[in-house]
Amino acid sequence: MEGGVFSRKNVGMWAVVLLVLDFTCPASATTCTEVQTNLQPCLGAMNGLLPGAPPTACCNGLKVVLSLEREIGVGAACNCTKNLILTVPGLNIDVKVSSDLQNQCNVDLQFSLANNDQCTG
Protein backbone atom coordinates (compact mmCIF):
# COMPACT_ATOMS: atom_id res chain seq x y z
CA MET A 1 0.00 0.00 0.00
CA GLU A 2 1.54 3.27 -1.14
CA GLY A 3 1.56 5.84 1.69
CA GLY A 4 -1.74 4.75 3.24
CA VAL A 5 -3.99 7.24 4.99
CA PHE A 6 -1.13 9.63 5.64
CA SER A 7 0.06 9.82 2.04
CA ARG A 8 0.61 13.13 0.27
CA LYS A 9 -2.63 12.81 -1.64
CA ASN A 10 -4.55 12.86 1.66
CA VAL A 11 -2.88 16.00 3.06
CA GLY A 12 -5.82 18.19 2.00
CA MET A 13 -8.30 15.89 3.71
CA TRP A 14 -6.29 15.96 6.96
CA ALA A 15 -6.05 19.75 6.81
CA VAL A 16 -9.84 19.96 6.65
CA VAL A 17 -10.23 17.45 9.50
CA LEU A 18 -7.85 19.44 11.70
CA LEU A 19 -9.61 22.67 10.83
CA VAL A 20 -12.99 21.19 11.79
CA LEU A 21 -11.57 19.84 15.05
CA ASP A 22 -10.11 23.23 15.90
CA PHE A 23 -13.56 24.81 15.63
CA THR A 24 -15.45 22.09 17.47
CA CYS A 25 -13.19 21.25 20.40
CA PRO A 26 -13.81 22.85 23.78
CA ALA A 27 -11.69 25.77 24.95
CA SER A 28 -8.03 25.11 24.44
CA ALA A 29 -5.58 25.63 27.26
CA THR A 30 -4.38 28.79 25.51
CA THR A 31 -7.88 30.27 25.39
CA CYS A 32 -8.48 29.34 29.02
CA THR A 33 -5.22 31.02 29.93
CA GLU A 34 -6.43 34.12 28.07
CA VAL A 35 -9.64 34.16 30.14
CA GLN A 36 -7.71 33.75 33.38
CA THR A 37 -5.04 36.32 32.47
CA ASN A 38 -7.70 38.90 31.63
CA LEU A 39 -9.50 38.29 34.93
CA GLN A 40 -6.40 38.69 37.10
CA PRO A 41 -6.66 42.51 37.32
CA CYS A 42 -10.14 41.94 38.83
CA LEU A 43 -9.09 39.65 41.68
CA GLY A 44 -8.78 42.44 44.26
CA ALA A 45 -12.15 43.90 43.29
CA MET A 46 -13.70 40.42 43.23
CA ASN A 47 -12.51 39.79 46.78
CA GLY A 48 -13.72 43.18 48.03
CA LEU A 49 -10.16 44.42 48.66
CA LEU A 50 -10.44 47.36 46.27
CA PRO A 51 -13.24 49.71 47.33
CA GLY A 52 -14.83 51.96 44.74
CA ALA A 53 -14.72 51.56 41.00
CA PRO A 54 -12.79 48.59 39.65
CA PRO A 55 -9.46 49.29 37.95
CA THR A 56 -9.56 50.07 34.23
CA ALA A 57 -7.46 46.96 33.59
CA CYS A 58 -10.20 44.89 35.25
CA CYS A 59 -12.96 46.34 33.08
CA ASN A 60 -10.85 45.94 29.95
CA GLY A 61 -10.15 42.34 30.97
CA LEU A 62 -13.86 41.62 31.48
CA LYS A 63 -14.55 42.94 27.97
CA VAL A 64 -11.96 40.53 26.58
CA VAL A 65 -13.54 37.69 28.57
CA LEU A 66 -16.93 38.63 27.10
CA SER A 67 -15.43 38.36 23.62
CA LEU A 68 -13.84 35.02 24.50
CA GLU A 69 -17.16 33.84 25.97
CA ARG A 70 -18.74 34.38 22.57
CA GLU A 71 -15.87 32.55 20.88
CA ILE A 72 -15.55 29.48 23.12
CA GLY A 73 -19.01 29.33 24.68
CA VAL A 74 -20.44 30.29 28.03
CA GLY A 75 -19.75 26.96 29.72
CA ALA A 76 -16.09 26.90 28.70
CA ALA A 77 -15.49 30.53 29.72
CA CYS A 78 -17.25 29.87 33.04
CA ASN A 79 -15.14 26.78 33.73
CA CYS A 80 -11.93 28.69 32.96
CA THR A 81 -13.05 31.40 35.38
CA LYS A 82 -14.04 28.87 38.03
CA ASN A 83 -10.63 27.19 37.78
CA LEU A 84 -8.93 30.54 38.37
CA ILE A 85 -11.14 31.34 41.36
CA LEU A 86 -10.50 27.94 42.91
CA THR A 87 -6.71 28.34 42.63
CA VAL A 88 -6.56 31.64 44.53
CA PRO A 89 -6.49 30.91 48.27
CA GLY A 90 -9.07 32.89 50.22
CA LEU A 91 -10.83 34.28 47.16
CA ASN A 92 -14.52 34.18 47.96
CA ILE A 93 -16.82 35.95 45.55
CA ASP A 94 -20.54 36.19 46.04
CA VAL A 95 -23.17 36.84 43.39
CA LYS A 96 -23.69 40.48 44.46
CA VAL A 97 -19.99 41.33 44.12
CA SER A 98 -19.92 39.61 40.73
CA SER A 99 -22.99 41.46 39.55
CA ASP A 100 -21.75 44.81 40.85
CA LEU A 101 -18.39 44.33 39.14
CA GLN A 102 -20.02 43.53 35.80
CA ASN A 103 -22.39 46.51 36.16
CA GLN A 104 -19.56 48.89 37.03
CA CYS A 105 -17.63 47.72 33.98
CA ASN A 106 -20.73 47.70 31.77
CA VAL A 107 -20.13 44.06 30.83
CA ASP A 108 -22.82 41.40 30.79
CA LEU A 109 -21.21 37.97 31.01
CA GLN A 110 -23.66 35.09 30.70
CA PHE A 111 -22.27 33.51 33.87
CA SER A 112 -21.55 34.66 37.37
CA LEU A 113 -18.07 35.22 38.70
CA ALA A 114 -19.28 33.89 42.05
CA ASN A 115 -17.68 30.83 43.62
CA ASN A 116 -20.91 28.85 43.55
CA ASP A 117 -21.68 29.23 39.83
CA GLN A 118 -22.39 25.79 38.36
CA CYS A 119 -21.17 26.69 34.85
CA THR A 120 -24.20 25.23 33.12
CA GLY A 121 -24.40 27.94 30.46
Side-chain angles (χ1 to χ4, degrees), residues 40-55 58 101 104:
Q40 286 186 355
C42 298
L43 293 179
M46 291 163 80
N47 209 20
L49 299 175
L50 298 175
C58 171
L101 186 60
Q104 289 175 317

Side-chain angles (χ1 to χ4, degrees), residues 61-117:
L62 285 176
K63 290 173 185 167
V64 172
V65 171
L66 178 62
S67 172
L68 290 168
E69 174 191 85
R70 293 175 182 148
E71 181 182 323
I72 64 175
V74 175
C78 179
N79 282 318
C80 293
T81 301
K82 180 65 62 180
N83 289 337
L84 172 66
I85 291 170
L86 294 174
T87 61
V88 179
L91 186 59
N92 189 21
I93 306 152
D94 65 26
V95 175
K96 182 173 179 355
V97 170
S98 168
S99 178
D100 289 348
L101 186 60
Q102 290 187 56
N103 287 338
Q104 289 175 317
C105 291
N106 198 25
V107 173
D108 187 22
L109 298 173
Q110 299 303 304
F111 62 92
S112 168
L113 299 171
N115 291 47
N116 62 350
D117 194 317

Side-chain angles (χ1 to χ4, degrees), residues 10-42:
N10 290 332
V11 169
M13 176 197 65
W14 285 111
V16 170
V17 168
L18 292 173
L19 187 61
V20 169
L21 286 175
D22 187 46
F23 284 111
T24 58
C25 287
S28 68
T30 302
T31 307
C32 205
T33 300
E34 288 178 74
V35 169
Q36 294 172 346
T37 300
N38 281 288
L39 285 175
Q40 286 186 355
C42 298

